Amino acid sequence: MSLLRITSPHAHGPLSTTRVMQTVLLATLPGVAALVWFFGPGVLVNIAVTSFFAIAFEAAVLKLRGRPVLRTLDDHSAVVTATLLAIALPPYAPWWLLAVGAAASILLAKQLYGGLGYNPFNPAMVGYVVLLISFPVQMSTWAAPRGLAAEVPGLVDALQACFIPASFDGATMATPLDILRQNSDQSLAALYAGTPQLGAWGGVGWQWVSLGFLAGGLWMLYRGIFTWHAPVAMLAALAALAALFYDGGGPGSGGSPLFHLLSGATMFGAFFIVTDPVSSAVSTRGRLIYGALIGVLIYLIRTRGNYPDAVAFAVLIMNFAAPFIDYYTQPRSYGHARGDRP
Amino acid sequence: MLAEYSVLLIGAILVNNFVLVQFLGLCPFMGVSNKLETAMGMSLATTFVLTLAAASSYLVYNAILEPLGLGYLRTISFILVIAVVVQFTEMAVRKSSPLLHRVLGVYLPLITTNCAVLGVALLNINKEHDFLQSLLYGFGAAAGFSLVLVLFAAMRERLAVADVPQAFAGPAIGMITAGLMSLAFMGFAGLV
C-alpha cells in the first residue's frame, strides 16, 4: 500500500489550461459571427487554414525536441493563437500569408522561447506585426462590408481567394481608421455625412464586430478567465485621451471616444490580446499600469503614427515593458511593512 | 521653440531609438543586460557620459576644428574627447563619491567603446544642431538607450528561467528578443 503525500492546495480549480483555451475559443464566436455576416466567410477560411499551419508547426517542433506531441497539442493553445491571428488578418488573405503568420507566431514567438507559458510577447500579435511590416499591401486590403459592397463573397469565393489568390477579385474598401487617419481638412460631422463607411459610431460592420467581441469578453470575465483590470484600464485610457483631444469634432479632431472604442481592433485587443496571462504584467497594480499604457500608445500611434491601427504595436511594446512593471509592482507580502522589499 | 525641442527629444528616445532603430550601442545592450541592477548602473553612467560627450564634442568641433579647417579630423578627435570625458568622469566620481564609483566603476571604461557615444557626436555635426540641441540630442539618445537597456534586462531575467531549446539558449534568444523589440518599435514610426 502506498501512502501518497500531496502538499496543499488540496482543492482543485475547475479551470485547466484546456478548459481556459476552449472558453476563449467559444468567446470569439459572437465577434466571428458578426465578421462573417458583414464581410463574408473569409474569416472562417482564415481560421481553418491558420489553425492547420499552427498545429503542423507546433507538432513539428515538439517532435524535434522530443516532447509529447499529442498531450501538448491537447491544450488547444496553438489553435487559440491561430484563431486570434486569423481574426486580426484581413479576410480573403492568400494561404501563404497565413502560413508565414502562423510560422512567426508559433515558431518565432512561442516555441523558440520554450512553448506555452514562456513567451514574453503575445504570439498572435508577433505574427500580425511581422506580416504587417513584410507584406503591407496584402495586409491593408480589407473587404467592403455588407450594405456597401455590391455583394458579399460566398464560401466558394473565400476558398478561391485563399488557395488561388490570382483569380479572386473582391471589393475592397478603406477601413474607418484609414479614413480618419487621412482626413485633414473636414470636420467630423462633414466626414461622417460624406463617407458611408463610417456608419453611426465606429464604421459600418466594425461597430457590430466590436460589440460581438465585447460580449464574448464580458462572458469570459464572468467565467473568471481573467480579471477586469487590464482591459478596463486600456479602454478607459483610450476613451479619456480621445475625449481630451476630441477638439469639438473639428478637422484636427482625433475622433470621438465612441469611435475609438468601437472601431478597429480595440475591443478584440482589450479582451482577447491584452488579457493574455503569459505576456502581460501579473500583479493587480501592474495590470492597471500595463493596460492604461497600452491605451495611451494605441491613441498616440493611431492619431500620430504611420500605421492606422495600433493595437498590435502597443501590445508588443508593453509586452516588452511588462517584466519591468512587474519588478516594481510586486504586491506586499503578508507581514512585511510597506516599502520594505523582501 | 519648446515644441521643437520636445520633438527632438521624443525622436531620439522613441522614434529613432539608438539601439532598436539605428542599431548603435549594441555591445553594451547585449553584454550588460543579464541583470537588472547592473543594467541600471550602466544606463546611469552612459546617460552622464553621453550628455557630457555630446556637449564637449560640439564645443571641440565648433571652437577648434571648424575655425582651423580641420573638419576631416573630427572622428579621431571625438574618440579622444570621449576617452577624456570618460576618464575625467571616472576620476571625479572616484574622488567625490566612492559609493557611486562602486556602482558605476566597472561600467565607466566600457562606455569608451560604446559606438552610440561616437554616433551621437557625429550625428550632431551632420544634422547641424546648435549647442542646446546637441546637448538635448545626447541626453535623448542616452535616455532611449537606458530605457530599452533596463526593460531588456528585466525581460532577460525572465528569459533565464524559460525552457528555451538548447540551441537557442543564452545570447541567441537575447538576439531574437531584441529583434522582436525592434519590430515593436517600428510602431513609433512617423510619430514626430
Side-chain angles (χ1 to χ4, degrees), chain A residues 92-307:
Chain A
Y92 312 107
W95 65 271
W96 51 265
L97 192 78
L98 304 175
V100 173
S105 296
I106 297 294
L107 298 182
L108 192 63
K110 187 177 169 199
Q111 288 300 340
L112 279 192
Y113 287 96
L116 183 68
Y118 293 117
N119 47 303
F121 298 98
N122 184 303
M125 289 300 103
V126 169
Y128 182 85
V129 168
V130 166
L131 291 180
L132 183 63
I133 286 170
S134 313
F135 309 104
V137 177
Q138 281 82 0
M139 290 297 287
S140 52
T141 45
W142 263 90
R146 181 184 293 271
L148 297 171
E151 55 176 17
V152 173
L155 193 59
V156 179
D157 297 315
L159 289 169
Q160 199 189 344
C162 186
F163 294 106
I164 326 169
S167 67
F168 176 73
D169 184 26
T172 60
M173 208 171 251
T175 63
L177 281 170
D178 285 324
I179 295 170
L180 200 78
R181 181 78 188 81
Q182 275 145 22
N183 170 55
S184 57
D185 49 355
Q186 282 180 305
S187 74
L188 280 191
L191 194 69
Y192 270 71
T195 27
Q197 291 104 300
L198 286 177
W201 311 313
V204 172
W206 290 96
Q207 52 207 22
W208 294 106
V209 172
S210 294
L211 288 175
F213 285 123
L214 173 64
L218 290 179
W219 180 64
M220 281 196 290
L221 190 61
Y222 169 72
R223 293 292 307 272
I225 303 293
F226 50 75
T227 58
W228 58 269
H229 304 86
V232 167
M234 170 194 145
L235 295 175
L238 180 61
L241 273 182
L244 199 61
F245 293 100
Y246 183 58
D247 197 18
S253 170
S256 67
L258 203 57
F259 173 81
H260 278 283
L261 290 182
L262 291 181
S263 196
T266 308
M267 285 297 171
F268 173 68
F271 290 103
F272 291 86
I273 303 296
V274 172
T275 52
D276 176 2
V278 183
S279 59
S280 73
V282 262
S283 64
T284 307
R285 247 186 329 147
R287 281 187 177 151
L288 285 173
I289 299 170
Y290 172 81
L293 284 177
I294 287 180
V296 170
L297 283 174
I298 288 176
Y299 187 79
L300 209 68
I301 298 177
R302 266 188 186 175
T303 52
R304 294 299 184 91
N306 285 349
Y307 297 96

Side-chain angles (χ1 to χ4, degrees), chain A residues 65 67 111-114 118 120-121 129-130 133 301 304-307 313 316-317 319-320 323-324 326-328, chain B residues 36 40 150-152 154-155 158-159 162-165 168 173 176-177 180-181 183-191:
Chain A
R65 295 191 69 191
R67 300 288 160 97
Q111 288 300 340
L112 279 192
Y113 287 96
Y118 293 117
F121 298 98
V129 168
V130 166
I133 286 170
I301 298 177
R304 294 299 184 91
N306 285 349
Y307 297 96
F313 284 114
L316 284 191
I317 292 166
N319 282 168
F320 172 30
F324 186 73
D326 275 342
Y327 190 86
Y328 280 100
Chain B
L36 190 58
M40 290 210 173
V150 166
L151 294 185
F152 188 53
M155 179 161 270
R158 195 174 280 191
L159 287 184
D163 179 24
V164 177
F168 288 95
I173 198 71
I176 290 169
T177 310
L180 289 177
M181 280 161 37
L183 207 65
F185 262 62
M186 288 189 79
F188 286 123
L191 214 59

